[in-house]
Amino acid sequence: MRKQLNKKSNVILMLGLFFGMAIMLYPLASQLYYDAQITSVTEDYRNSLDEIDIDNEIDERVKLAEAYNEALDPNLNWQDPYSEEEREQGISSYAEMLEVHEQIGIVNIPKINVELPIYAGSSEQVLQKGVGHLEGTSLPVGGENTHSVLTAHRGLPEARLFTDLDKMVEGDIFYVETMAGQLYYEVDQIKVVEPTDIDAVRIEEGEDYVTLLTCTPYMINSHRLLVRGHRIPAPEEAEIVAEDSIWEKMWHTIQPYWHYIALILLVIIIISIVIWRINRK
């Protein structure tokens, strides 16, 4: 009887450890699933963009986006290359002219190993699945007198998104892919501001900016972290991210998951000790 009770207790203990480990590892599984989804989504965007082989269509849609951008600040004193009709059409359709399968582009941040889809708007629904384009700012097609703001969450259990944005420093390079091509930006300003402070994201005459925006401090979210970049020519690949050693590359790959790996090892050790004690008895 006692042997049967001990056996039953051991089974319950093992099941408890198994389900406990499954619950603790859920965030890791969610993150890996999200990463796989994002890879599929971004590749689908690129493939669909390649299928739009009519140059005139792409040119017309980019032209509408540029007209929208110009209409954001009508007080700038520069020559207007667009008609009033194009300006009104650009405003009314917002970002639809850039959308391919709901995406308007992709943002790549090599420093923190991030490649994410960009969607129009910054609703919670958008921010749960990727990067949002902040309404009222320039669409990310480049050009003088533009300042596009791309925003994403930090610390979601199922997705890292802009969690590591605070690791960016001046001089880092990121780039945006849209119908206008690959546009490269070099970080020249990093600021922490109040949520109501919009001065740092205003359009500056003659400039071409993209700002990456997220909440800070981590998990408190009382302020906003702004990482601004100015447009630069396409750099050599080696200039985008400094060449790392093989160990540094391995660490960059596993670093986001190190605490999960440590947890798995801990649980394996505990289970091994329990099994060893059971067998010893």
Side-chain angles (χ1 to χ4, degrees), residues 95-154:
E96 289 180 5
M97 72 288 284
L98 294 180
E99 286 187 346
V100 176
H101 292 190
E102 298 186 348
Q103 291 177 245
I104 65 172
I106 300 170
V107 60
N108 300 265
I109 315 175
K111 172 67 173 290
I112 58 175
N113 195 28
V114 159
E115 179 179 270
L116 296 166
I118 305 170
Y119 299 93
S122 56
S123 66
E124 186 59 28
Q125 182 181 4
V126 165
L127 297 181
Q128 286 290 327
K129 61 182 181 179
V131 175
H133 169 260
L134 190 63
E135 302 93 327
T137 69
S138 308
L139 290 170
V141 293
E144 289 188 353
N145 312 312
T146 60
H147 194 161
S148 179
V149 178
L150 307 178
T151 180
H153 280 315
R154 296 179 78 192

